[in-house]
Amino acid sequence: KNESEGKQLFDHLNLISTKFLQRSLHYLGCLQHDELIVEASKNHKAISEYAPTSTGARGIRHLAKTTSSLALQNYVEGGIAHFLQRMFHLHDLAVQKD
């Protein structure tokens, strides 16, 4: 809903990632709740096309700018692909135990 809730969610995900994957995450910001994002989705449109000046569109542009300026060499090993592979592998192990 807001920056505070976004940071709390990040802190929770970071704790899980650090505990189970031995990888800490980097907080880059959050997308605040914007009903126009929901409307854009229902109309099968990108928020930047549907409501380009909305809070949601501005937030997405900000996150895109932030992520595009990251130094890729810091993330050569691991990264999101590694994170997702580990998540799926951990899920598969949990399912096998049941």
Side-chain angles (χ1 to χ4, degrees):
K1 293 181 181 180
N2 55 44
E3 181 76 27
S4 175
E5 190 173 302
K7 184 68 168 89
Q8 284 180 323
L9 177 61
F10 167 80
D11 289 341
H12 182 71
L13 289 172
N14 189 43
L15 180 68
I16 292 168
S17 178
T18 302
K19 182 176 180 178
F20 294 106
L21 303 174
Q22 292 78 46
R23 299 263 185 206
S24 61
L25 305 176
H26 303 280
Y27 185 73
L28 300 175
C30 75
L31 290 176
Q32 295 186 27
H33 178 77
D34 183 349
E35 206 47 50
L36 289 172
I37 293 175
V38 177
E39 287 180 31
S41 177
K42 286 179 182 176
N43 288 293
H44 307 284
K45 303 256 184 192
I47 186 65
S48 58
E49 177 186 344
Y50 186 79
T53 60
S54 68
T55 302
R58 287 193 312 271
I60 289 173
R61 281 193 299 275
H62 173 75
L63 285 176
K65 182 179 178 183
T66 301
T67 58
S68 68
S69 66
L70 294 175
L72 293 179
Q73 64 271 16
N74 293 335
Y75 303 98
V76 170
E77 180 190 338
I80 191 70
H82 178 73
F83 177 79
L84 291 174
Q85 287 174 341
R86 291 287 304 268
M87 291 296 288
F88 289 126
H89 178 70
L90 292 173
H91 175 266
D92 292 343
L93 291 176
V95 170
Q96 290 174 0
K97 289 181 183 178
D98 292 341

